[in-house]
Amino acid sequence: MSIPRHFANRLARSFTKLMGGEASAGVLLIVVALLAMIVANTSWAYGYHDLFHHQLAWTPIAKLDTLHLWINDALMAVFFFVVGLEIKREVLDGELSSAARRRLPVLAAAAGMAMPALVYLLAAGTAQPMQRGWAIPAATDIAFAVGVLGLLGSRVPASLRLFLLTVAIVDDLGAVAIIAVFYTAQIKLLWGIGALLMLANLILANRSGVRRPWIYLILGAALWYCVLNSGIHATIAGVLFAFTIPLKPLHRGDSMLLRLEHALVPWNSYVIVPLFGFANAGVALGGIGFRALLDPIPLGITLGLFLGKQLGIFAAIFAADRIGFAPRPAGASWMQLWGMAVLCGIGFTMSLFIGALAFPHHPLLVEEAKLGVLLGSLLSSLLGYAILRLAGAPRPA
């Protein structure tokens, strides 16, 4: 029996919508996470682990002797570089460029990081090494969350999408600061001085009006190499490098920052982040089992992402609106704001990254942390989507 034409047309339109625009990056992450979980729990598990963790026969940088390290320390530096470009653009010429605009997203992001950390500590306890995972549920995955919003189309007001993006960008800045302060090993002084010199040269190039990209790229690569060897996590170099890229328009009307951001965002969304997700999301359940979900670390992360995020962000928005500190986004109902707050509990990329930093000497705890991140992100995406779906069309501003 042939498929009715109208059904086939609807199916084609749904697929086009699913894989087009903002939704595609989020959908790709979902597929990658599922694929990593499947591979890690089949006969391919050994090959999967060997691919990413087996020592390379040759590497140009001694510290990066596995594919996993190249992804987490080198490719993810590019990811953080793009994050830094977005932060700088928003602070200087975007939604964070004035005090009035900054109030609500900064407050919401701060509450959305503090509450998950508190929930985690209440569930997991303050004993070592569990305590080191407090920051894992504090991060929001922009691509994943915006991808879910993209699936909802016109049901979500533009102001809500913009607010989620702004909160997530502030959230990323907070996550970068946490990594730099709380997950940095002992600093090697000479390499640290070298990094400072490279950073100073980049700032000098910006101040002197240098607009040749290759100069910045050479100095940025040198900055990354110095930071890699200094004991500070190498990805911090990506953010510092981004902050030195000029935003001032060139003679053609655009800027170096915008050109780099536009060039790298697709690579970030469709290559670097999916590759990182595939390399880090695979959890071998045979080694820990579903019962591990009730262990302190996965339970704390799951509750932190699923409950802590929405409680912190929604309470901050509600309180700010009621006391007159900052009005809620125009045209968004309270139910839609709740759905958006729930979606902020999707912590995939940054949470997996922090999880690996939190327990460097405890591989089993890293696996348990992955389980908590995946479950908390899954619950947040499903509930957030359901709430926004039921909330109806946006009301006029």
Side-chain angles (χ1 to χ4, degrees):
M1 185 176 66
S2 63
I3 299 175
R5 181 176 297 179
H6 72 278
F7 177 76
N9 290 340
R10 286 178 60 190
L11 191 64
R13 285 197 302 269
S14 297
F15 183 78
T16 301
K17 177 182 176 182
L18 185 69
M19 295 309 296
E22 296 172 336
S24 56
V27 171
L28 180 59
L29 283 182
I30 294 171
V31 172
V32 164
L34 289 174
L35 184 61
M37 288 290 292
I38 291 171
V39 171
N41 289 278
T42 62
S43 58
W44 297 331
Y46 179 79
Y48 169 81
H49 185 273
D50 192 56
L51 172 65
F52 292 111
H53 296 279
H54 184 73
Q55 189 169 2
L56 297 172
W58 177 84
T59 177
I61 300 176
K63 285 183 70 68
L64 306 182
D65 59 356
T66 67
L67 182 57
H68 188 265
L69 287 174
W70 272 100
I71 292 170
N72 282 31
D73 288 1
L75 286 184
M76 286 302 286
V78 179
F79 167 82
F80 278 86
F81 176 65
V82 177
V83 168
L85 293 176
E86 293 174 345
I87 291 171
K88 180 172 181 176
R89 174 174 50 78
E90 290 294 334
V91 169
L92 296 182
D93 192 33
E95 288 301 308
L96 299 173
S97 60
S98 68
R101 289 180 173 182
R102 284 193 294 265
R103 285 179 186 172
L104 190 59
V106 169
L107 177 65
M113 298 185 78
M115 186 61 74
L118 178 60
V119 170
Y120 172 88
L121 291 173
L122 289 174
T126 57
Q128 294 290 0
M130 279 75 75
Q131 184 189 39
R132 286 183 54 82
W134 64 270
I136 298 173
T140 295
D141 191 292
I142 297 178
F144 228 132
V146 173
V148 175
L149 283 184
L151 295 175
L152 291 158
S154 60
R155 287 177 173 270
V156 178
S159 62
L160 195 65
R161 174 193 171 279
L162 183 60
F163 184 72
L164 184 145
L165 280 171
T166 311
V167 170
I169 287 171
V170 178
D171 189 294
D172 279 346
L173 181 58
V176 169
I178 287 172
I179 292 170
V181 175
F182 295 100
Y183 296 110
T184 292
Q186 185 176 1
I187 298 176
K188 296 177 182 177
L189 184 60
L190 290 179
W191 284 110
I193 293 173
L196 289 175
L197 289 174
M198 292 304 104
L199 183 61
N201 281 323
L202 282 162
I203 295 172
L204 180 62
N206 185 318
R207 295 289 186 183
S208 302
V210 175
R211 294 298 181 265
R212 292 183 175 87
W214 63 270
I215 294 177
Y216 287 89
L217 293 176
I218 291 174
L219 290 172
L223 171 64
W224 170 81
Y225 187 74
C226 289
V227 173
L228 175 68
N229 288 281
S230 71
I232 303 170
H233 200 274
T235 52
I236 299 301
V239 179
L240 295 176
F241 178 31
F243 289 167
T244 68
I245 300 298
L247 180 61
K248 186 177 179 180
L250 301 170
H251 63 276
R252 289 184 297 274
D254 59 358
S255 71
M256 188 187 301
L257 187 148
L258 293 175
R259 289 166 63 184
L260 285 172
E261 184 180 354
H262 291 160
L264 290 174
V265 162
W267 288 95
N268 229 19
S269 300
Y270 298 104
V271 178
I272 294 173
V273 172
L275 187 57
F276 169 83
F278 184 68
N280 289 273
V283 182
L285 297 175
I288 54 180
F290 282 106
R291 290 183 179 179
L293 289 172
L294 298 179
D295 287 350
I297 289 174
L299 180 62
I301 294 171
T302 300
L303 294 178
L305 286 171
F306 184 59
L307 295 180
K309 272 289 184 181
Q310 59 174 296
L311 286 174
I313 291 175
F314 187 78
I317 296 171
F318 184 83
D321 184 76
R322 283 291 183 264
I323 66 175
F325 178 75
R328 70 179 189 265
S333 67
W334 285 113
M335 189 170 182
Q336 288 170 331
L337 286 167
W338 176 35
M340 182 276 303
V342 174
L343 285 184
C344 287
I346 303 174
F348 189 75
T349 306
M350 197 72 81
S351 293
L352 288 175
F353 188 80
I354 296 175
L357 298 179
F359 310 111
H361 307 300
H362 301 85
L364 182 61
L365 298 186
V366 173
E367 295 299 297
E368 288 194 350
K370 291 179 184 179
L371 199 58
V373 170
L374 294 173
L375 182 58
S377 298
L378 176 63
L379 293 175
S380 297
S381 60
L382 292 176
L383 180 61
Y385 178 87
I387 292 171
L388 290 170
R389 184 81 182 178
L390 294 172
R395 59 187 178 84

